[in-house]
């Protein structure tokens, strides 16, 4: 960003290139944000979690790509309060590919596209755009297509839970009003639903 140096292939090893360069640009020595290796490390850890939990399959590959999209989206939303449309489109395309490979419950996937996004859209319109952003609505439509209606509902419940708890803590700690970027919390909810959704549904159904 500082001198316009074009990164070479050996500058692109996740985490390791940053450590090797000790967080400085190879050419001009400018400081490189620690955000980059942290995001790379988080991505690697979550991919391992996905493959350990869900096994080695084409589906795990799709879920891994979804996780990477969610990480990028979360960082951008956290910093800019905007979810780029392109990332939501990528998630929607991953959802379509998943339906083509695993067409066992197409109706569930299509209902999932609307199950959360439509109620959120109504809240968005009713609040005049103050309660949430259009990016959140599109994210839950794309994620709903990927997850199906049961898991996208779980994603919403956990996303709202994470968002309210962490937001309250942040306001207490800093004592000031924060604008709430929903993307990171919804993403964490989506990840929870993917990794533990079937257990959560079994546990809940066990009450009846
Ligand atoms: Zn430089």
């Amino acid at each position: 960003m500082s001198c316009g140096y074009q990164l070479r292939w050996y500058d692109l090893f996740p985490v390791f290139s940053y450590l090797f360069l000790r967080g400085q640009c190879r050419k001009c020595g400018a400081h490189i944000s620690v955000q980059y290796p942290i995001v790379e490390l988080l991505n690697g850890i979550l991919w391992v979690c996905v493959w350990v939990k869900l096994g080695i399959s084409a589906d795990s590959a799709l879920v891994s790509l979804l996780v990477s999209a969610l990480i990028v989206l979360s960082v951008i939303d956290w910093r800019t309060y905007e979810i780029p449309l392109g990332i939501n489109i990528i998630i929607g395309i991953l959802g379509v590919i998943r339906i083509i490979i695993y067409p066992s419950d197409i109706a569930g996937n299509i209902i999932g596209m609307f199950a959360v996004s439509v109620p959120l859209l109504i809240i968005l319109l009713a609040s005049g755009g103050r309660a949430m952003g259009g990016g959140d609505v599109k994210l839950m439509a794309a994620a709903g297509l990927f997850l199906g209606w049961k898991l996208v509902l779980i994603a919403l419940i956990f996303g709202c839970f994470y968002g309210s708890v962490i937001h309250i803590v942040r306001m207490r700690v800093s004592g000031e009003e924060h604008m709430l970027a929903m993307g990171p919390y919804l993403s964490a909810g989506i990840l929870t639903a993917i990794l533990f959704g079937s257990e959560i549904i079994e546990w809940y159904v066990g009450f009846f």
Side-chain angles (χ1 to χ4, degrees):
M1 286 299 195
S2 164
C3 66
Y5 165 69
Q6 173 94 43
L7 296 171
R8 319 269 163 192
W9 63 270
Y10 46 77
D11 294 321
L12 297 175
F13 289 95
V15 183
F16 293 103
S17 290
Y18 181 88
L19 293 176
F20 179 73
L21 293 168
R22 289 189 214 88
Q24 291 177 330
C25 174
R26 184 185 294 281
K27 192 171 165 211
C28 73
H31 176 71
I32 302 170
S33 169
V34 75
Q35 175 197 306
Y36 294 101
I38 287 175
V39 167
E40 290 162 1
L41 191 63
L42 178 68
N43 189 80
I45 290 169
L46 290 181
W47 277 29
V48 171
C49 291
V50 167
W51 293 77
V52 166
K53 187 68 174 50
L54 304 181
I56 294 172
S57 64
D59 196 41
S60 290
L62 285 173
V63 169
S64 298
L65 294 174
L66 171 67
V67 165
S68 295
L70 292 174
I71 291 172
V72 173
L73 167 164
S74 296
V75 172
I76 294 174
D77 192 27
W78 180 265
R79 295 178 61 147
T80 67
Y81 300 102
E82 288 282 347
I83 297 175
L85 179 62
I87 298 179
N88 282 335
I89 290 174
I90 288 171
I91 293 172
I93 291 170
L94 290 174
V96 171
I97 294 171
R98 194 180 198 214
I99 293 169
I100 292 169
I101 300 179
Y102 303 98
S104 57
D105 183 20
I106 296 176
N109 289 90
I110 292 172
I111 295 169
M113 192 171 170
F114 302 102
V116 169
S117 62
V118 169
L120 289 188
L121 180 63
I122 292 170
I123 296 171
L124 169 79
L125 295 175
S127 71
R130 282 194 305 276
M132 69 189 65
D136 302 318
V137 175
K138 290 171 202 143
L139 169 61
M140 293 315 274
L145 187 67
F146 190 101
L147 295 173
W149 68 271
K150 290 179 196 160
L151 290 184
V152 80
L153 284 175
I154 291 175
L156 176 71
I157 293 166
F158 276 86
C160 291
F161 172 72
Y162 297 142
S164 32
V165 170
I166 294 172
H167 197 60
I168 288 167
V169 170
R170 280 183 73 203
M171 299 235 284
R172 282 278 157 79
V173 169
S174 67
E176 58 190 70
E177 288 283 321
H178 277 285
M179 212 169 131
L180 179 65
M182 288 283 284
Y185 305 114
L186 291 174
S187 296
I190 292 166
L191 186 64
T192 305
I194 289 172
L195 292 181
F196 305 107
S198 49
E199 281 97 331
I200 293 166
I201 291 172
E202 265 176 45
W203 171 78
Y204 183 72
V205 169
F207 284 112
F208 299 99

